């Protein structure tokens, strides 16, 4: 199985700041990577797919980059509503696998 | 708008079967792929499997022969059955839509149902 590693389990930042969340695959997955946001009591929200393509409705302050094994989700100019859990997921091969999640807290 | 809603018992005894339903509105399950994903306490997530628009299935090998995903197209529902559960199956279970094939990411999710396995 492709192991997905999110090295930061917790991150705190202030509104207006920029943050980056990393995700590393145990083998090359090309750009077959998605990012999700989960907020308490809400459904998961797909933010980005194909490593860098914004899903319809995702604010432009979100961006994704990377290819191969190393990927980054960047949120520029944080808004208070950006708190939550962020997960990466590879879909290069089955079984589909997820990172361990990064909890973003807004200071 | 596509909406998914999980339902099922919140408590299952060890060795019994876990059965969940995902009701879909706003889109036909005869298109795309429809999956189950679970999140364990501590936030680890696991893709369990999915059923395609044609009724074919794909499962996570880690679940071996314990899992079955079926559907009722007349009700626009699909189902998860997980047999011989243990306390390690305690998790929040989500159903979600995947575009499938090279687009195996999930663009619509249910809100999840928490299932506890305990005697």
């Amino acid at each position: 199985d492709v192991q997905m590693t999110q090295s930061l389990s917790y991150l705190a930042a202030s509104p207006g700041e920029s943050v980056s969340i990393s995700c590393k695959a145990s083998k090359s997955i090309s750009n077959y990577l998605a990012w999700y946001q989960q907020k308490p009591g809400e459904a998961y929200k797909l933010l980005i797919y194909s490593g860098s393509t914004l899903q319809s409705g995702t604010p432009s302050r979100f961006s994704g980059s990377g290819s191969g094994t190393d990927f980054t989700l960047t949120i520029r100019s944080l808004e208070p509503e950006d708190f939550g859990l962020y997960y990466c997921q590879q879909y290069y091969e089955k079984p589909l696998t997820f990172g361990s999640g990064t909890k973003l807290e807004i200071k | 708008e596509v909406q998914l809603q999980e339902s099922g018992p919140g408590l299952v005894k060890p060795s019994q079967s876990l059965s969940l339903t995902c009701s879909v509105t706003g889109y036909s399950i005869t298109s795309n792929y429809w999956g189950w994903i679970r999140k364990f306490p501590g936030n680890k997530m696991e893709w369990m499997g999915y059923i395609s628009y044609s009724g074919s299935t794909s499962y996570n090998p880690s679940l071996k022969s314990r899992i079955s995903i079926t559907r009722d197209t007349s009700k626009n529902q699909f189902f998860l059955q997980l047999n011989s559960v243990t306390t390690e199956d305690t998790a929040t279970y989500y159903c979600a839509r995947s575009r499938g094939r090279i687009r195996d990411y999930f663009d619509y999710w249910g809100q999840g149902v928490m299932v506890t396995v305990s005697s």
Side-chain angles (χ1 to χ4, degrees):
Chain A
D1 299 1
V2 180
Q3 304 300 317
M4 304 301 295
T5 301
Q6 292 179 242
S7 54
L8 267 180
S9 59
Y10 174 81
L11 183 58
S14 300
E17 291 183 345
S18 293
V19 297
S20 292
I21 298 171
S22 66
C23 175
K24 187 174 181 69
S26 60
K27 63 181 275 189
S28 177
I29 59 170
S30 184
N31 66 339
Y32 292 96
L33 185 100
W35 287 98
Y36 302 92
Q37 178 195 58
Q38 189 203 20
K39 299 167 75 169
E42 297 184 13
Y44 278 76
K45 182 180 178 183
L46 172 67
L47 298 172
I48 287 170
Y49 60 92
S50 297
S52 61
T53 302
L54 264 62
Q55 170 70 350
S56 174
T58 300
S60 58
R61 63 181 180 273
F62 289 85
S63 64
S65 62
S67 183
T69 60
D70 293 289
F71 300 86
T72 303
L73 172 70
T74 299
I75 313 171
R76 302 192 191 283
S77 192
L78 272 172
E79 297 283 345
E81 63 265 27
D82 295 335
F83 75 93
L85 264 170
Y86 290 84
Y87 288 92
C88 58
Q89 177 230 325
Q90 66 82 20
Y91 51 99
Y92 179 76
E93 65 182 36
K94 291 186 181 64
L96 310 176
T97 49
F98 292 81
S100 52
T102 298
K103 183 177 182 180
L104 174 61
E105 183 181 282
I106 307 298
K107 289 180 182 175
Chain B
E1 183 187 0
V2 182
Q3 293 189 324
L4 297 89
Q5 179 67 58
E6 306 89 349
S7 59
L11 181 65
V12 181
K13 293 187 186 314
S15 79
Q16 293 188 343
S17 293
L18 178 163
S19 296
L20 298 176
T21 298
C22 183
S23 300
V24 180
T25 56
Y27 202 87
S28 172
I29 65 169
T30 58
S31 294
N32 292 107
Y33 292 68
W34 304 88
W36 290 97
I37 300 117
R38 60 183 178 176
K39 185 166 83 167
F40 299 99
N43 294 331
K44 177 187 173 185
M45 292 183 64
E46 180 181 59
W47 170 73
M48 301 181 73
Y50 58 40
I51 188 164
S52 77
Y53 57 92
S54 67
S56 63
T57 54
S58 178
Y59 299 134
N60 192 321
S62 70
L63 296 167
K64 298 177 183 178
S65 58
R66 293 202 298 137
I67 187 173
S68 176
I69 299 176
T70 57
R71 65 178 185 170
D72 183 337
T73 57
S74 67
K75 294 182 178 179
N76 219 37
Q77 295 175 325
F78 63 104
F79 312 100
L80 171 70
Q81 181 171 319
L82 187 65
N83 299 323
S84 305
V85 299
T86 70
T87 55
E88 294 188 353
D89 294 309
T90 293
T92 299
Y93 288 75
Y94 299 89
C95 59
R97 185 184 83 167
S98 164
R99 308 311 297 274
R101 301 194 183 194
I102 62 170
R103 298 176 297 171
D104 255 340
Y105 48 83
F106 299 93
D107 57 356
Y108 289 95
W109 294 65
Q111 294 206 332
V113 59
M114 187 178 299
V115 178
T116 301
V117 179
S118 174
S119 54

